[in-house]
Amino acid sequence: MSSLDERTTESAAPPTRKGRTWISYLAMVVLPVVAAFFLLRTGGGDGHAPTGHTGGAADPVAKLLFALPVIFLACRLLSAVAKRLAQPTVIGEIFAGILLGPSFLGWVWPAAYHWIFPDFLASTINTFAQIGLVIFMFLVGYELDVELVRRRSKAAVLVSHVSVAIPFLSGVVLAFVLHPTLGAGVARLPFALFLAISMSITAFPVLARIITDRKMTKLPIAALALSCAAVDDITAWCLLALVVAIASATSMAATLVTVGLTIAFFAFMLFIVRPLLRRLFAPTEQGQKALPTTAVVSVLLAGLLLSALATNAIGIHPIFGAFLFGAVTPRGSLPIRQATEQMHALTVTLLLPLFFVYTGLRTKFDLIGSDPTLWLWCLLIVAVAMLGKWGGSLIAARLSGIGRRDAWSLGALMNCRGLTELAVLNIGLDLKVISPTMFAMLVVMTLVTTVATSPALSLIERYKRRGLPAEPLPAA
């Protein structure tokens, strides 16, 4: 019999057969399942709740499954708003974290805030946030173009080091002024060193995103800004590792041991791990199959996590190990590029929003409150941060022979802090070298300096369009 005949015969079957099938299904499948669920729900009539039920209010998995969509939607919504305002999307995500924290949601709707983010959920969010931050810092280290720094070594090294040295000095001076009021309970040395580092940071990934969004990638000033930010980040992270070692150690001998182990780890990564990675991911001969992307992802994840574990054991933050592992990972390999793209998608979409929210949960602007003195201190911090970083970069650029308007643009770009600064601030709060009040003030500084970058570039660009001749950059 043909298939058409079979379908015709089936369609002509008496309807009573189908009716009996449905009745049998209801009686022998649906009803037993409903009865079993009822018995389990009532605890078999003994008055006890089913074993393993913890209740929605105390179940971290259930709470996290509800909180995650709220976090993702808030980050995507405010990222879209930031993009419409010609700001990098990370600005929207930072604001989303703050708006979901106690400074806004906890103030406007306390019941909803405590229901979505109960106290026991903070440790879970922090765990995922730290993993996301470690992977992100690996990607930052990998995206640093060392060749770009070498091609523009003269101007890049001068501008970047001046843009660290002047803010560092201004941060130390500011710390001596702030310590009696805002540094209570913290030794002056780690407080001053940490504040100096926070004044010196430039957010390389956010700066790169701003340059891309504004279609500046082919401009010479953009290449110089990226190379300066690369040198700046390497210098600042090395200094921060030293500060963390000093703050974490209990004695001068312990400090020296931590610093010595850190130097040994750097040497191990540069002279042993980097050659091994180059040999492992070397271009294959024609006809030889390359490593699959999944295997490369596994190797990179294992390497960066072990590197983070090593620096954590040494006594400095895990992100240093991940950052250095990214810096020594070889470039130019297609499997590595595909693997890092997959890691970037996972980190930016899933894990980094949790870092922003965790930072928002720790940021309490009500600690500043309505006290005009504290807001004046906050204004002073913002002013010192902008003058030191922007002014130092501007002066160094002019001394390097860079034109006036390009020097102003370079200063505006180097003043951008963004996510990198938030990572640094969280380290300081964990080490207790800054108070929650000081943390809130420095978050305000981070927001102001990052948000100001795009408008400042637009004003400088408008000035350029007045028909004034552009001044060329100096030779590399």
Side-chain angles (χ1 to χ4, degrees):
M1 183 183 294
S2 66
S3 60
L4 178 60
D5 294 334
E6 292 175 359
R7 289 195 296 269
T8 304
T9 303
E10 183 180 354
S11 62
T16 55
R17 183 181 300 174
K18 289 185 177 180
R20 284 197 222 99
T21 302
W22 280 110
I23 291 172
S24 300
Y25 186 86
L26 289 172
M28 302 182 69
V29 177
V30 176
L31 288 179
V33 170
V34 172
F37 177 79
F38 177 77
L39 290 173
L40 291 173
R41 183 69 177 173
T42 58
D46 60 0
H48 298 286
T51 303
H53 181 72
T54 59
D59 186 0
V61 175
K63 282 295 182 183
L64 186 64
L65 292 177
F66 182 82
L68 285 177
V70 174
I71 294 169
F72 298 153
L73 289 175
C75 287
R76 295 286 75 78
L77 177 62
L78 289 181
S79 294
V81 173
K83 194 172 183 180
R84 292 291 298 272
L85 297 175
Q87 292 287 346
T89 54
V90 69
I91 288 294
E93 294 175 336
I94 293 173
F95 273 101
I98 292 174
L99 292 179
L100 290 174
S103 297
F104 183 78
L105 182 60
W107 173 59
V108 175
W109 196 357
Y113 168 72
H114 289 291
W115 191 82
I116 298 174
F117 301 109
D119 293 339
F120 64 82
L121 193 61
S123 60
T124 304
I125 293 177
N126 180 38
T127 300
F128 284 104
Q130 293 303 318
I131 294 174
L133 185 61
V134 165
I135 299 175
F136 178 77
M137 291 309 300
F138 159 77
L139 294 172
V140 171
Y142 176 75
E143 291 171 1
L144 285 177
D145 191 345
V146 180
E147 292 300 322
L148 186 65
V149 177
R150 290 174 181 172
R151 287 196 299 266
R152 301 204 61 90
S153 58
K154 295 179 181 178
V157 171
L158 176 62
V159 174
S160 60
H161 284 178
V162 170
S163 69
V164 170
I166 292 181
F168 192 92
L169 175 60
S170 61
V172 170
V173 174
L174 180 64
F176 279 81
V177 175
L178 295 178
H179 186 266
T181 305
L182 298 172
V186 181
R188 180 180 293 179
L189 178 61
F191 178 81
L193 289 175
F194 183 82
L195 188 59
I197 289 293
S198 67
M199 297 287 111
S200 308
I201 290 294
T202 293
F204 178 84
V206 179
L207 183 146
R209 183 60 182 268
I210 291 175
I211 288 175
T212 302
D213 290 346
R214 296 181 66 88
K215 298 179 174 58
M216 298 172 59
T217 51
K218 295 183 179 180
L219 298 179
I221 190 63
L224 179 60
L226 288 173
S227 58
C228 289
V231 177
D232 187 290
D233 264 11
I234 294 172
T235 305
W237 285 114
C238 291
L239 290 173
L240 183 59
L242 177 62
V243 172
V244 172
I246 293 174
S248 302
T250 56
S251 64
M252 181 58 66
T255 302
L256 294 176
V257 169
T258 302
V259 173
L261 289 175
T262 302
I263 295 173
F265 177 75
F266 274 47
F268 174 77
M269 296 295 287
L270 290 174
F271 300 113
I272 297 180
V273 174
R274 183 169 63 173
L276 288 176
L277 291 176
R278 285 180 174 175
R279 181 175 300 179
L280 179 63
F281 297 114
T284 56
E285 298 179 0
Q286 190 173 4
Q288 186 178 357
K289 192 174 181 180
L291 288 174
T293 304
T294 53
V296 177
V297 171
S298 300
V299 171
L300 293 181
L301 283 175
L304 73 92
L305 292 175
L306 289 174
S307 299
L309 179 64
T311 52
N312 184 70
I314 288 172
I316 56 179
H317 201 274
I319 62 175
F320 296 110
F323 175 82
L324 187 58
F325 185 81
V328 301
T329 299
R331 278 74 169 165
S333 170
L334 180 60
I336 291 181
R337 187 165 68 249
Q338 293 174 338
T340 54
E341 287 173 356
Q342 292 184 8
M343 294 166 65
H344 185 273
L346 173 66
T347 305
V348 171
T349 305
L350 176 63
L351 298 176
L352 273 187
L354 296 179
F355 172 74
F356 294 127
V357 169
Y358 183 68
T359 301
L361 296 178
R362 308 179 84 185
T363 304
K364 300 176 181 179
F365 292 131
D366 59 335
L367 294 175
I368 307 176
S370 57
D371 188 344
T373 303
L374 292 179
W375 281 108
L376 286 175
W377 285 126
C378 186
L379 181 62
L380 178 63
I381 291 172
V382 174
V384 170
M386 295 188 71
L387 288 174
K389 194 70 174 179
W390 198 335
S393 303
L394 173 64
I395 294 170
R398 294 294 288 149
L399 291 175
S400 300
I402 297 174
R404 185 173 62 256
R405 293 179 299 282
D406 281 333
W408 278 93
S409 297
L410 183 61
L413 288 168
M414 296 297 291
N415 189 51
C416 179
R417 287 175 171 85
L419 172 61
T420 310
E421 181 75 14
L422 292 182
V424 172
L425 298 184
N426 275 278
I427 293 174
L429 189 60
D430 289 336
L431 292 173
K432 294 182 173 56
V433 295
I434 56 173
S435 65
T437 303
M438 192 70 185
F439 179 81
M441 291 181 178
L442 292 173
V443 169
V444 172
M445 180 269 290
T446 304
L447 293 173
V448 172
T449 55
T450 308
V451 170
T453 304
S454 288
L457 291 172
S458 297
L459 288 175
I460 296 168
E461 184 65 25
R462 189 179 305 171
Y463 180 73
K464 285 182 179 180
R465 290 174 181 172
R466 290 182 178 179
L468 297 176
E471 300 173 63
L473 293 178

